[in-house]
Amino acid sequence: MGVIIGPRVIDAGSSLLSVLISPVPVAAGYPSPAQDYFDGRIDLNEHLIKDITSTYVVRVSGDSMEGAGISDGDELIVNRALEPRDGCVVVAVLDGELTVKRLRLTASGVVLQADNPRYPDIRVPALADLVIWGVATRCLHHV
C-alpha cells in the first residue's frame, strides 16, 4: 500500500526551484536541429503551485499507484484547499493510517482505489474514521 512519509511545508518566502528554460520544445523522437541555448529562468512555483499556503510536498512509499504514474520514491504536490472529487488522487487518512489512493464516490459508499491490480480496493466502512487530507495535483517522478 502506498504510504506518505513526511509532508514538507513549502515556505511562501522561498522559491521551490528556479531553473533555466529552453526557448523551443525538445524532440523525444528524431533529433531536432533546434537551438542549443536556454532563454532565461522559469519559477516552478508559478507552474506547479496554485495556492502556496495550502500546498505540501509528500514522498510516496510503495507501488500501489503505479498505474497512475506514481512510483515508489516519487514526490507529490498536494493541495489541501481543493475539494476532493470522484476520480481524484488523494492523500487520505483512514483510521489513523496515511495512504495515497484514487477516491471513488459510489452509490454504496466511499472506495479508496489503488491503481495497481495487485492491491484490492479499500471499501471504507460507515464507522471508519476517514479524512481526505489533500488532493494530489502533480507528481514529481524520478527518471
Side-chain angles (χ1 to χ4, degrees):
M1 187 176 325
V3 179
I4 299 303
I5 300 173
R8 292 177 279 162
V9 176
I10 299 173
D11 183 358
S14 66
S15 176
L16 176 64
L17 193 56
S18 177
V19 296
L20 290 171
I21 183 169
S22 171
V24 295
V26 177
Y30 291 104
S32 169
Q35 299 162 332
D36 61 353
Y37 66 89
F38 287 84
D39 187 32
R41 294 196 176 270
I42 184 171
D43 183 355
L44 292 179
N45 287 317
E46 293 177 19
H47 295 277
L48 301 177
I49 299 171
K50 291 186 190 229
D51 182 359
I52 195 107
T53 61
S54 60
T55 300
Y56 293 80
V57 174
V58 296
R59 182 167 292 133
V60 175
S61 174
D63 62 355
S64 71
M65 295 302 291
E66 281 184 346
I70 302 170
S71 301
D72 183 53
D74 286 354
E75 287 144 347
L76 297 178
I77 296 177
V78 179
N79 188 331
R80 296 198 66 197
L82 292 178
E83 182 76 25
R85 294 183 300 212
D86 182 60
C88 288
V89 174
V90 299
V91 176
V93 183
L94 178 60
D95 293 330
E97 298 283 328
L98 281 164
T99 188
V100 176
K101 296 288 182 274
R102 190 169 301 280
L103 179 66
R104 292 296 180 194
L105 305 173
T106 69
S108 60
V110 176
V111 176
L112 297 175
Q113 180 183 49
D115 276 344
N116 183 331
R118 296 183 325 182
Y119 294 85
D121 291 346
I122 301 171
R123 298 193 184 284
V124 179
L127 297 177
D129 183 21
L130 174 66
V131 175
I132 302 301
W133 190 82
V135 176
T137 59
R138 299 277 192 260
C139 177
L140 304 177
H141 185 73
H142 298 269
V143 294

